[in-house]
Amino acid sequence: MEVKSKIYECAKDLFSTKGFKETKIKEIAEHAGIGVGTFYNYYTSKEELFIEIYKQENKKLKNQLTESLDLTQEPVQLISQLLKENQEAIHANPILKEWYNQDFYKELERHYRDEDSQSMDSVRNFYLSLMRNWKQQGLIREDISEELLPVFFDSLVCIDMHKDEIGIEHFPKAMQYLIEFIIKGLIKEQ
């Protein structure tokens, strides 16, 4: 196995078991059977490596979701299913779950916002693509601008990050209703 691939796989294993914050570059190097200096020949930081792994896991998740969804179903059902399956997959994947890690969330968010949106392969972009298509088809209310569409998705992520404050026992049902209310509010009345 080539050195960069070995570093990647060993880091993914450690990030999955220990989390981003608790994993040290020295441990990644030891696990890969290399020196710390060799690590830096391939990655400038632990953050750069983690983001590469995170993006790959996010891409796999998006592909799984797009294959499992019936894109012809009614918008409220489709978005509800998309967000529900996305949340379940994130919470089952220790790498993707770092999105909710207060210590690293801002770094991931900054990276995603700084990147060219066309090059990102994420569930967020899949959601935005659906919403923009519905907007072009005339299904979204005319008073909702395209610039506002991502805000609805991002607000659900923010709410998810504060589920403990909301009350974990009520959170799943509250989130389900919020998704339904948002989508129904966006869709033009027939």
Side-chain angles (χ1 to χ4, degrees), residues 7 25 34-46 48:
I7 293 169
I25 290 174
I34 61 168
V36 172
T38 303
F39 173 91
Y40 287 108
N41 289 335
Y42 296 93
Y43 295 98
T44 60
S45 66
K46 176 176 84 166
E48 177 190 15

Side-chain angles (χ1 to χ4, degrees), residues 109-139:
E109 183 182 58
R110 182 193 58 74
H111 179 78
Y112 270 82
R113 298 222 188 275
D114 289 348
E115 265 229 20
D116 173 16
S117 64
Q118 294 302 317
S119 69
M120 293 307 300
D121 198 0
S122 68
V123 172
R124 182 178 187 270
N125 284 350
F126 177 65
Y127 160 85
L128 291 176
S129 174
L130 280 174
M131 298 302 284
R132 287 183 178 124
N133 285 339
W134 290 337
K135 178 86 172 152
Q136 289 172 354
Q137 293 171 19
L139 298 174

Side-chain angles (χ1 to χ4, degrees), residues 12-20 50 54 57 89-101:
K12 183 177 171 184
D13 181 48
L14 288 167
F15 289 140
S16 293
T17 56
K18 296 180 74 174
F20 171 78
F50 182 81
Y54 184 92
E57 291 298 299
I90 286 173
H91 290 288
N93 182 317
I95 301 291
L96 294 176
K97 198 172 183 180
E98 290 289 337
W99 180 261
Y100 299 106
N101 179 337

